[in-house]
Amino acid sequence: MAFTGISASALDKTGSVKACYMADADVAARAKEAGTTRATICMDKASEVEGHVIVAVGNAPTALFRLADLVAAGKIRPDLIVGVPVGFVNVIQAKEVIMHCGAPYIVAVGRKGGSNVAAAICNALLYKITGGA
């Protein structure tokens, strides 16, 4: 859902692209085989992207845990992590892990957040860079 909310026109102005791997067939298959979540496998797939990367997570604390592991292992070095999952299970802990992983971050401390918040943060940064919508 964050993917849909991020401004395509602002991304175009910066020469950037957005990607979401959650619905990819290979992600679902790898998650099933590994006995883990698709969100976890999405971070593995994101670690294969070359160049500058901003990772935005609005709903899956398991993605943030895996992302922190990948950062620690030197498999990904995001330019920024937007970590704002919402909910009760592992949300606060996942955000705390990101705040200590060594990568630049923006988090919504506590249980609040969500995909709409992740998209809003990304859009605010994009609009700051591009001078508007």
Side-chain angles (χ1 to χ4, degrees), residues 43 53-57 63-64 67-68 71 76-84 94 97-99 101-107 121-122 125:
M43 294 301 104
V53 175
I54 294 173
V55 178
V57 176
L64 293 183
L67 182 57
V71 169
I76 188 171
R77 187 69 187 164
D79 295 283
L80 177 66
I81 299 169
V82 177
V84 292
V97 165
I98 289 302
M99 291 189 286
C101 78
Y105 65 87
I106 297 172
V107 300
I121 292 168
C122 291
L125 295 169

Side-chain angles (χ1 to χ4, degrees), residues 22 24-42 44:
M22 193 62 80
D24 291 3
D26 65 314
V27 167
R30 287 168 59 187
K32 184 175 182 179
E33 180 180 310
T36 191
T37 66
R38 287 182 293 148
T40 297
I41 300 301
C42 284
D44 291 341

Side-chain angles (χ1 to χ4, degrees), residues 74-133:
K75 294 184 178 180
I76 188 171
R77 187 69 187 164
D79 295 283
L80 177 66
I81 299 169
V82 177
V84 292
V86 62
F88 294 98
V89 180
N90 290 323
V91 169
I92 293 171
Q93 297 87 340
K95 292 173 182 179
E96 289 174 357
V97 165
I98 289 302
M99 291 189 286
H100 295 93
C101 78
Y105 65 87
I106 297 172
V107 300
V109 177
R111 299 187 185 286
K112 301 205 180 213
S115 293
N116 56 336
V117 175
I121 292 168
C122 291
N123 286 334
L125 295 169
L126 284 164
Y127 298 158
K128 179 72 174 169
I129 293 166
T130 62

